[in-house]
Amino acid sequence: MPGCCGCCSALRPRYKRLVDNIFPVNAEDGLVKSNMEKLTFYSLSSPDKLDRIGEYLYQKATKDINRKRYKLAEIAMEAMDLLLQACHAQTTLNLFVESFLRMVQKLLEDSNPNLKIMATNSFVKFANINEDTPSYHRRYDFFISKFSSMCHSDNHDLRDSLRLAGIKGLQGVIRKTVSDDLVENIWDAQHMEKIVPSLLFNMQFCVNVMFVKKNLMATGDLTPVEDATHITPPVLAEEVLRELVGRASFGHIRSVLKPLLMHLDRHELWVPNTFAIHTFRIVMISIQPQYSYTVVETLMQHLDNNFKSSPKTRTSLAVVLSKIIAIAAGESVGPSALDIINNLLTHLRTSVSTTTEITAEESQYQEALINALGEFANHHPDYQKIEIMLFIMNTVPDLSKKSKSDQMLQNILLKSLLKVGTQYSTVSFEKAFPASFLQPLLRMARAPHDPTRMIVMQIFQALLDRHQNEQVLSTVSVKPYTALSQEPPSRSDIIFTHKYGANIMQALIDSMALSDRVDALSSSYNTAALLIVEMSCSETVQEFLLFILGIQQVAHTVESLGAVHKCNLHSIAIALLVLISRVTGINNLLEYAQKIVDARREEAPYYLAPLLEPKKTSAKNLNLSLPHLAIDKLALGECLQNAGMDAQRLNSGAPYALHQTDNPAHRHSWVESVSAHMTQRNSSADLTVYTGDVDSVNSSPGVCKRVLSQEYTFDAMKRALAEPTEAAKREQREKQLQIVRTFRESEFDELVRRTEPKHDLIQNRLNELFNSLAMERQITQSGDNKTLQLQATNDKPIYETNFPELFYY
């Protein structure tokens, strides 16, 4: 019988004998390496036998698994791995791979965890091989399902090992299928709904693991080296998710996001949102930058679908959105940026319209949306921030809509605008306040509701404050602000003040008169103080003084204001006067303001800061008939003149009034400006005589020549003694007034006639010059013509001599 068996074994095919020889007599001894080398050499020499070798190894492993001889099955799997690594370049590898995958599947189907881990490792090795010829019929449905189930393993002894093996298997499937378009599409929903939740299930413990590791490292129980070398399922799952998202194209990224959102919803992982924030940050960092906008858009659509969810869930979604939206902002330009802003504003409007009362949780949801909007705008350049603010401003309901929901929506949208405004770095006021943005903002500054006006004031403060003075000027005071920072305004800022400063100051006066609340008045004062600090100079100080006089005039003339309200307006006026005198460095103005402060401190301290609370102050003890404690317009003009500055605008202009619609900066006539300035100088000008003292500067509206300070020298005293008498001065002033009256009342033809001789004289002189030049030119031309005629009679042209036929006509 032994001889018969030997004869039968000799008749068996050679590849079977080589395969049988790799198995030892004792399974514990492992693979016979020398015989394995012979089998490998035979496979390389006869690649057509490779598929038969694989099939035979699969049959032997199946018998061993069925008979529970797991060691022999492991040897067969090891042999398959070695053959795959050695023969991966063979053209017949596809047939061998089929047997290889069938063996991997057989091992994964068994209940032995060691076989599952070994089969997974073999599959990972196979996934790392780049095949030259793709297989069109190969499917990985079983492997995706099996590896996903291993990711949820609850085996107490080998739980982490099985989960790690399952995650590695999914990583191998992803690498094997994503790079090849001809194989099965792994981006299908049936596959993604298994892969993504399996990864997220393992990542759920990642946040807790990180906190535990931080505590262990803080106590010294865990060293950084141990932490770096030990790979846990959460860490590997995060790595695989990064790889999956990084490989996703534009059309496939939603296939990943949909099961991700479904997993968070089903397991209620939005509250608390620590894991959701961590996951979406991984997605935003791993995704290709040009597709990051898709993540934000998908999350917003998910927020739309959850509009009926609890406020806590919606708040958590909005917080997640605010955490990741900044990453997408860098890649969003033009319409996509405004589209995101529009979606956020739509959610805010929906929140306001669906709730009758704003609860604390709903308010947190709205704040989260506003923070998301601010984070998004913060990562855009300044010119886009202006566009975003203008876009938000155009969505604010008009003041004509007075319903409660409209008022709430106004406040919410203005808060959003404020959030963007705080992120804007103002360089030029002309760019920060374009007319299309400034006009509706000034209309909202006159809103009848105190919260709305206060938000508008905060917007002005955020855009006006270029030197971080907002906190310094937050309280009304006549004391010096030691921490005040300032620099002279630029030419463009001065032009902006001349153009729009009056409109802003008029809106501030209207805002101050609307409410006696201390916080509302303090907010208006803060805005006015920032306006003065940023824009005041010698060219704009008169306009600001008229603004201060306007505040005082409202307190004097508007009877509907309460006594406490009027006192607070007086306090704001004197505080602004002290501030502008210190900012501009006009000592005469500061001395005058200090005199008023001292007088009020003795007689009427309620005319000074701090502001009075209407509910805590009795109006009976307030004496408002104190005209000698008011700011005097003529005194202000004298202070400016004594400081060598022009006071024409202050003396001729009227203070700002309540509800004034026109622009105060252009109310005065330029003729009055010229006449007022002419009365301050000695002139012997009449209608027909020009004097160089009346220059173009004096004829320009709003631009006047500066009076230089007098020098007390011997020559100056001598000139002072030689000045004309009072009678001569009176006669001169009457003559100047007559000149002005003539220009005002005479007809245009009469003025032309009286000024005609001077122009005729110049014209006659020019005519004489032109005539003399013309006569000289005629004499010169006549002499040249005679010379040419003589030459023509004497000499014949050379071309007529040589080619006479060419000149016949």
Side-chain angles (χ1 to χ4, degrees):
M1 292 299 294
C4 181
C5 292
C7 293
C8 292
S9 61
L11 297 175
R12 301 178 67 194
R14 186 181 179 190
Y15 73 90
K16 287 187 177 182
R17 284 181 284 147
L18 291 174
V19 170
D20 291 337
N21 292 335
I22 66 173
F23 292 93
V25 177
N26 184 7
E28 299 295 333
D29 294 339
L31 182 68
V32 180
K33 298 294 182 65
S34 58
N35 293 334
M36 186 64 214
E37 291 176 359
K38 295 177 182 178
L39 179 61
T40 303
F41 179 77
Y42 177 78
S43 301
L44 293 173
S45 304
S46 304
D48 55 316
K49 304 293 185 180
L50 190 60
D51 58 327
R52 298 183 184 182
I53 295 173
E55 180 65 25
Y56 185 59
L57 281 171
Y58 168 71
Q59 292 175 1
K60 289 183 67 66
T62 303
K63 292 179 182 179
D64 294 333
I65 292 173
N66 293 334
R67 296 171 183 175
K68 308 296 182 181
R69 295 185 295 191
Y70 296 124
K71 288 293 183 180
L72 294 176
E74 292 177 4
I75 292 173
M77 190 72 252
E78 184 181 355
M80 291 282 262
D81 290 341
L82 294 174
L83 288 175
L84 184 69
Q85 296 295 328
C87 307
H88 66 273
Q90 300 294 332
T91 57
T92 58
L93 184 65
N94 273 336
L95 298 176
F96 176 77
V97 168
E98 295 301 324
S99 301
F100 175 83
L101 293 178
R102 286 168 61 194
M103 180 177 287
V104 172
Q105 180 176 344
K106 189 66 178 179
L107 267 64
L108 289 174
E109 289 174 347
D110 196 78
S111 59
N112 190 335
N114 293 323
L115 290 183
K116 292 181 180 180
I117 295 173
M118 185 176 186
T120 304
N121 294 333
S122 299
F123 183 84
V124 172
K125 294 176 183 177
F126 161 71
N128 292 328
I129 295 176
N130 295 324
E131 299 182 64
D132 296 332
T133 57
S135 177
Y136 305 106
H137 61 280
R138 194 180 300 160
R139 298 184 63 85
Y140 297 93
D141 295 4
F142 169 80
F143 297 103
I144 294 174
S145 301
K146 194 63 182 178
F147 291 143
S148 299
S149 64
M150 290 173 63
C151 292
H152 296 81
S153 175
D154 287 330
N155 191 313
H156 296 288
D157 298 330
L158 298 173
R159 187 188 66 177
D160 288 349
S161 299
L162 286 172
R163 289 185 178 181
L164 279 172
I167 297 170
K168 289 179 181 179
L170 291 177
Q171 186 180 29
V173 173
I174 293 170
R175 290 178 178 177
K176 199 64 181 175
T177 56
V178 169
S179 59
D180 196 346
D181 295 334
L182 299 177
V183 299
E184 184 180 9
N185 188 6
I186 198 176
W187 303 108
D188 289 344
Q190 57 177 343
H191 300 320
M192 285 293 110
E193 289 176 0
K194 297 175 184 177
I195 296 175
V196 175
S198 300
L199 298 176
L200 294 177
F201 175 77
N202 286 274
M203 287 174 57
Q204 283 177 228
F205 306 97
C206 185
V207 178
N208 297 330
V209 168
M210 285 192 296
F211 285 126
V212 172
K213 285 183 179 180
K214 287 181 180 179
N215 295 333
L216 290 175
M217 293 180 69
T219 57
D221 297 332
L222 180 67
T223 62
V225 176
E226 294 173 351
D227 180 48
T229 56
H230 185 62
I231 299 177
T232 59
V235 174
L236 185 60
E238 180 179 324
E239 180 183 342
V240 176
L241 181 64
R242 290 178 187 272
E243 184 176 349
L244 179 66
V245 174
R247 291 174 178 266
S249 61
F250 178 75
H252 298 146
I253 187 62
R254 294 183 189 273
S255 301
V256 180
L257 295 177
K258 186 177 179 180
L260 190 153
L261 294 171
M262 289 173 59
H263 181 82
L264 295 176
D265 289 339
R266 289 173 180 173
H267 294 271
E268 298 179 355
L269 296 175
W270 292 111
V271 182
N273 58 3
T274 307
F275 176 70
I277 293 173
H278 177 68
T279 304
F280 272 96
R281 276 181 173 167
I282 291 173
V283 172
M284 293 299 294
I285 293 173
S286 305
I287 197 173
Q288 299 180 40
Q290 63 269 27
Y291 305 148
S292 58
Y293 169 74
T294 309
V295 182
V296 176
E297 189 179 44
T298 305
L299 193 56
M300 284 186 174
Q301 291 175 357
H302 192 68
L303 188 58
D304 289 337
N305 300 332
N306 286 269
F307 71 97
K308 292 184 179 180
S309 301
S310 64
K312 286 186 177 181
T313 302
R314 287 184 282 118
T315 302
S316 297
L317 272 165
V319 171
V320 173
L321 188 62
S322 66
K323 298 295 183 181
I324 69 168
I325 201 169
I327 303 175
E331 301 296 329
S332 299
V333 293
S336 62
L338 295 180
D339 187 34
I340 292 178
I341 295 296
N342 187 37
N343 288 336
L344 291 172
L345 296 179
T346 302
H347 288 300
L348 285 172
R349 284 193 291 267
T350 304
S351 173
V352 173
S353 60
T354 55
T355 55
T356 55
E357 289 188 11
I358 299 296
T359 60
E361 294 179 349
E362 195 68 27
S363 178
Q364 290 178 358
Y365 169 62
Q366 294 171 358
E367 289 294 332
L369 288 175
I370 293 173
N371 290 334
L373 194 150
E375 286 294 328
F376 180 73
N378 186 34
H379 290 75
H380 281 81
D382 285 342
Y383 73 90
Q384 277 195 327
K385 291 177 185 175
I386 291 294
E387 293 179 359
I388 293 172
M389 288 192 288
L390 181 58
F391 181 80
I392 298 174
M393 195 70 224
N394 292 332
T395 61
V396 178
D398 193 71
L399 291 176
S400 59
K401 299 179 180 180
K402 299 181 180 180
S403 64
K404 187 176 180 180
S405 61
D406 288 328
Q407 295 174 12
M408 292 167 55
L409 185 58
Q410 285 176 359
N411 293 345
I412 291 297
L413 294 178
L414 287 174
K415 285 182 181 179
S416 305
L417 181 59
L418 174 62
K419 192 69 177 181
V420 181
T422 54
Q423 311 292 345
Y424 180 78
S425 300
T426 304
V427 177
S428 171
F429 292 124
E430 185 178 5
K431 295 180 180 178
F433 293 101
S436 56
F437 173 66
L438 180 61
Q439 292 175 359
L441 194 62
L442 292 177
R443 286 197 298 270
M444 296 305 299
R446 297 178 172 92
H449 311 289
D450 294 340
T452 303
R453 292 198 311 276
M454 292 175 64
I455 297 173
V456 174
M457 292 299 132
Q458 291 174 3
I459 294 172
F460 272 112
Q461 293 160 17
L463 296 177
L464 287 172
D465 188 16
R466 293 186 296 190
H467 300 89
Q468 288 72 46
N469 293 321
E470 190 268 331
Q471 291 296 328
V472 179
L473 301 171
S474 58
T475 56
V476 183
S477 176
V478 294
K479 298 179 180 179
Y481 297 102
T482 55
L484 195 66
S485 175
Q486 65 175 114
E487 64 179 50
S490 63
R491 189 61 196 169
S492 64
D493 293 338
I494 295 174
I495 294 173
F496 175 82
T497 308
H498 287 313
K499 192 173 183 180
Y500 296 114
N503 297 330
I504 299 175
M505 289 184 278
Q506 185 62 54
L508 288 174
I509 288 181
D510 295 342
S511 175
M512 292 179 188
L514 287 172
S515 175
D516 59 352
R517 286 178 51 178
V518 173
D519 52 355
L521 290 173
S522 298
S523 182
S524 299
Y525 167 80
N526 197 348
T527 305
L530 286 172
L531 198 68
I532 289 174
V533 171
E534 295 291 342
M535 299 184 182
S536 61
C537 62
S538 59
E539 298 183 36
T540 60
V541 64
Q542 298 181 74
E543 206 65 41
F544 285 116
L545 291 177
L546 288 176
F547 165 61
I548 295 171
L549 291 172
I551 298 175
Q552 179 178 267
Q553 183 174 341
V554 170
H556 281 307
T557 57
V558 181
E559 299 296 335
S560 60
L561 302 181
V564 177
H565 194 179
K566 292 181 178 180
C567 292
N568 288 336
L569 290 180
H570 282 293
S571 302
I572 291 174
I574 190 62
L576 291 177
L577 180 61
V578 173
L579 177 64
I580 194 173
S581 60
R582 287 196 174 100
V583 169
T584 55
I586 305 175
N587 295 327
N588 295 333
L589 194 61
L590 180 59
E591 292 175 1
Y592 172 71
Q594 198 61 44
K595 289 180 182 178
I596 297 178
V597 170
D598 295 339
R600 289 185 180 185
R601 189 173 285 118
E602 293 180 1
E603 300 183 36
Y606 47 84
Y607 268 23
L608 296 174
L611 301 181
L612 305 177
E613 289 284 351
K615 296 181 180 179
K616 298 180 181 179
T617 306
S618 176
K620 298 179 180 179
N621 302 327
L622 303 178
N623 182 15
L624 302 179
S625 301
L626 300 172
H628 62 285
L629 297 181
I631 303 172
D632 185 32
K633 178 181 176 181
L634 296 178
L636 294 179
E638 291 179 1
C639 291
L640 292 182
Q641 291 179 354
N642 293 336
M645 301 176 65
D646 178 60
Q648 170 193 346
R649 168 76 179 113
L650 181 62
N651 294 329
S652 61
Y656 287 70
L658 196 63
H659 306 307
Q660 190 168 282
T661 56
D662 61 333
N663 189 344
H666 302 288
R667 291 198 305 267
H668 57 285
S669 171
W670 70 272
V671 177
E672 294 177 357
S673 302
V674 176
S675 63
H677 187 71
M678 288 176 66
T679 57
Q680 300 174 6
R681 63 181 179 84
N682 294 325
S683 174
S684 58
D686 56 19
L687 293 178
T688 60
V689 180
Y690 169 79
T691 58
D693 198 23
V694 184
D695 53 5
S696 61
V697 175
N698 290 330
S699 63
S700 301
V703 182
C704 301
K705 190 168 70 175
R706 182 173 179 177
V707 180
L708 299 177
S709 57
Q710 188 174 5
E711 298 179 359
Y712 295 97
T713 60
F714 176 77
D715 295 335
M717 299 296 292
K718 186 176 180 181
R719 286 195 301 271
L721 293 174
E723 284 185 354
T725 61
E726 289 296 328
K729 289 182 179 180
R730 193 181 307 109
E731 181 181 357
Q732 187 67 27
R733 283 195 296 270
E734 291 177 356
K735 191 173 183 180
Q736 292 169 355
L737 292 175
Q738 182 180 2
I739 293 172
V740 173
R741 195 179 302 112
T742 302
F743 271 103
R744 283 182 174 178
E745 300 175 357
S746 300
E747 296 182 356
F748 182 73
D749 295 337
E750 178 66 16
L751 294 176
V752 171
R753 185 186 62 79
R754 299 186 66 171
T755 58
E756 210 168 21
K758 181 174 63 175
H759 299 293
D760 291 345
L761 183 62
I762 297 174
Q763 188 64 39
N764 294 336
R765 182 58 180 164
L766 290 174
N767 291 336
E768 291 178 1
L769 291 173
F770 290 145
N771 291 335
S772 62
L773 290 173
M775 292 178 63
E776 292 179 0
R777 190 179 298 109
Q778 291 176 359
I779 294 171
T780 306
Q781 290 178 352
S782 61
D784 294 340
N785 291 335
K786 292 178 180 179
T787 305
L788 291 173
Q789 290 175 1
L790 291 174
Q791 291 178 355
T793 55
N794 297 331
D795 299 327
K796 193 173 184 178
I798 187 65
Y799 51 80
E800 291 187 8
T801 305
N802 297 333
F803 307 98
E805 68 278 4
L806 296 178
F807 300 94
Y808 292 158
Y809 184 74

